[in-house]
Amino acid sequence: MLGNMYTDRIKFLLSRFRERLWVKPLAVCLLSIAAAFIAKLADDTRLIDIVPSITSDAIETLLSIMASSMLVIATLSVTSMVSAYASASSTATPRSFSLVVADDASQNALSTFVGAFIFSIVALTAVKNNYFQNAGIFILFVLTITVFTLVIFMFVRWVDRIARLGRIISTIDKVEYATKNAFIVRKRAPTLCGVAVKSEKQGEPIYARCVGYIQHIDIEAIDKWASKAEVRVAVATLPGTFTAPDRPLAYVYSPDGKLQEDNFDCLIDSFQIGGNRVFDNDPRFGLIVLSEIASKALSPAVNDPGTAIDVIGTLLRLFTQWNEPVDKDEIKPNCYKNVEVPEIMVEDMFDDAFTAIARGGAGLVEVSIRLQKTLVSLASLKDFEGNNHEMKEAAEYYSRLALKRFEVSYEY
């Protein structure tokens, strides 16, 4: 089954596993169990006559201390992480939850604490049953000291990270980083390695079987299917689009006007649909999440214009990076010639980023001024060819719109 899956879909599924809190602890637990029994291998080597003698009582004491303390620390870490997750959802936006959960430092710390607990329990049981000889006891002692050192290092690092995890600034930074990566991926492949849309909507429309967001499109699978069926596919929904049974995913047409293929299951299965949007292949989602954070900060219940101003600065930084040229060596070729894919519209990105902020901050002078300065800066940007009409027009339009909202707000 795995051999039939394509590389990009495997990467997409693996990235989803990073958001699962149990994956790393499970892997470390299995590694800990293996490490406890690896020490037994030393008893069958010449090390048994070389290594110094370590009493069983000494190693039992160390393992007992580790077993009793690691469970408490692991429980404490879980409690602190849950509090941080709740804080991120309440102070920022629930859409940022997946990024907070995927925090590597927290997952690594929890994995280390749980793994150390499992290691100590397994090793202690083996020692009490005289499973190891002299060499095995020595190797187990070395492993125990190593685990102790790792736990201390991870605990200090985790305390520093947990103090920031879930805070609004930390959440904004995580969303910015995820959005920046999505920008880079899309800039390198504006049409997802397909070709630009060459024609108007035509051909046989293909509909989804369920309701949800497009999370991933396997362009390679679509191209192979289209090549075999001798047709062309025009993708109508990019990742992040909310689809329903009445909204076409794509259009299938034949260059000679004769469409013979009538089984579109493979094509439909190439569209990964889920209940939530994801950051990986959806640059606009990051902009929406940042806009939500700013909009929530501008609500009367929170009344935090400083956070909104910080988000506006983040948006300026992201759009500036979007406008920067891409190294020709990094641009992916449009190798899937049978698939037409539309590019992201800059106007849509501006709508995602600035509409909610302009609405929520219309009555605040400091927010409106920062928003106008940001839009003026974006309007003045030039791309590597010396022009940028699309971004300039979008910035000027949303600048006028934000100014109108400000004027209307002050009339009342």
Side-chain angles (χ1 to χ4, degrees), residues 2-50:
L2 186 61
N4 296 327
M5 299 180 67
Y6 296 103
T7 304
D8 54 349
R9 175 164 291 190
I10 295 175
K11 291 180 179 179
F12 173 78
L13 294 176
L14 290 176
S15 65
R16 300 282 69 76
F17 271 104
R18 289 189 66 250
E19 300 172 2
R20 304 294 181 181
L21 195 57
W22 55 267
V23 174
K24 283 187 177 181
L26 176 60
V28 174
C29 286
L30 296 176
L31 184 62
S32 300
I33 296 174
F37 288 100
I38 284 176
K40 177 63 177 177
L41 300 177
D43 290 329
D44 299 326
T45 66
R46 296 182 61 185
L47 289 175
I48 196 170
D49 300 323
I50 301 175

Side-chain angles (χ1 to χ4, degrees), residues 33 42 45 50 64 68 73 110 112 160 164 191 246 248 329 345:
I33 296 174
T45 66
I50 301 175
S64 298
S68 59
I73 295 178
L110 178 61
T112 301
D160 177 73
R164 298 176 175 83
T191 58
D246 64 336
D329 295 335
M345 302 294 293

Side-chain angles (χ1 to χ4, degrees), residues 13 47 49 66 69 105 112 151 170 172 174 181 198 202 215 220 237 267 286 307 324 326 328-329 335:
L13 294 176
L47 289 175
D49 300 323
M66 184 184 296
S69 60
T112 301
V151 165
S170 175
I172 292 174
K174 289 182 180 297
N181 289 339
K198 299 179 180 178
Q202 60 174 336
Q215 296 180 338
E220 182 181 359
T237 53
L267 176 59
T307 294
E324 293 176 352
V326 182
K328 293 183 178 180
D329 295 335
C335 52

Side-chain angles (χ1 to χ4, degrees), residues 200-254:
E200 299 294 332
K201 296 179 180 178
Q202 60 174 336
E204 180 74 18
I206 308 302
Y207 298 95
R209 302 191 188 97
C210 58
V211 177
Y213 290 98
I214 304 294
Q215 296 180 338
H216 175 73
I217 304 176
D218 195 337
I219 302 296
E220 182 181 359
I222 295 176
D223 182 74
K224 288 185 177 181
W225 176 86
S227 177
K228 182 179 180 181
E230 297 181 351
V231 298
R232 294 183 66 85
V233 178
V235 173
T237 53
L238 289 174
T241 303
F242 187 78
T243 185
D246 64 336
R247 181 166 188 174
L249 296 174
Y251 293 88
V252 180
Y253 66 94
S254 177

Side-chain angles (χ1 to χ4, degrees), residues 97-240:
F97 178 76
S98 61
L99 295 178
V100 180
V101 170
D103 180 73
D104 288 334
S106 299
Q107 288 194 5
N108 292 340
L110 178 61
S111 302
T112 301
F113 301 151
V114 174
F117 173 73
I118 298 298
F119 169 80
S120 60
I121 291 296
V122 173
L124 183 61
T125 303
V127 171
K128 284 184 174 293
N129 286 276
N130 299 319
Y131 182 72
F132 300 105
Q133 298 180 29
N134 186 48
I137 290 291
F138 176 79
I139 297 299
L140 189 63
F141 175 77
V142 173
L143 290 175
T144 303
I145 297 300
T146 302
V147 171
F148 258 124
T149 305
L150 182 62
V151 165
I152 294 173
F153 172 78
M154 292 302 301
F155 182 78
V156 174
R157 185 167 179 257
W158 171 74
V159 169
D160 177 73
R161 179 59 67 91
I162 202 67
R164 298 176 175 83
L165 190 65
R167 301 297 185 264
I168 189 69
I169 298 300
S170 175
T171 303
I172 292 174
D173 291 340
K174 289 182 180 297
V175 177
E176 179 184 3
Y177 180 76
T179 307
K180 178 183 176 181
N181 289 339
F183 275 11
I184 293 173
V185 172
R186 185 57 59 90
K187 285 178 64 178
R188 292 174 178 174
T191 58
L192 305 180
C193 295
V195 298
V197 175
K198 299 179 180 178
S199 59
E200 299 294 332
K201 296 179 180 178
Q202 60 174 336
E204 180 74 18
I206 308 302
Y207 298 95
R209 302 191 188 97
C210 58
V211 177
Y213 290 98
I214 304 294
Q215 296 180 338
H216 175 73
I217 304 176
D218 195 337
I219 302 296
E220 182 181 359
I222 295 176
D223 182 74
K224 288 185 177 181
W225 176 86
S227 177
K228 182 179 180 181
E230 297 181 351
V231 298
R232 294 183 66 85
V233 178
V235 173
T237 53
L238 289 174

Side-chain angles (χ1 to χ4, degrees), residues 4 27-28 77 145 167 178 264 286 288 291-292 341 358 360 401:
N4 296 327
V28 174
S77 67
I145 297 300
R167 301 297 185 264
F264 303 109
I288 292 174
S291 180
E292 286 182 354
V341 183
L401 197 60

Side-chain angles (χ1 to χ4, degrees), residues 43-91:
D43 290 329
D44 299 326
T45 66
R46 296 182 61 185
L47 289 175
I48 196 170
D49 300 323
I50 301 175
V51 298
S53 178
I54 303 292
T55 63
S56 298
D57 292 338
I59 193 68
E60 285 182 16
T61 301
L62 289 175
L63 292 173
S64 298
I65 295 173
M66 184 184 296
S68 59
S69 60
M70 284 302 99
L71 184 60
V72 176
I73 295 178
T75 303
L76 174 64
S77 67
V78 171
T79 303
S80 301
M81 290 166 65
V82 170
S83 298
Y85 300 156
S87 175
S89 297
S90 60
T91 60

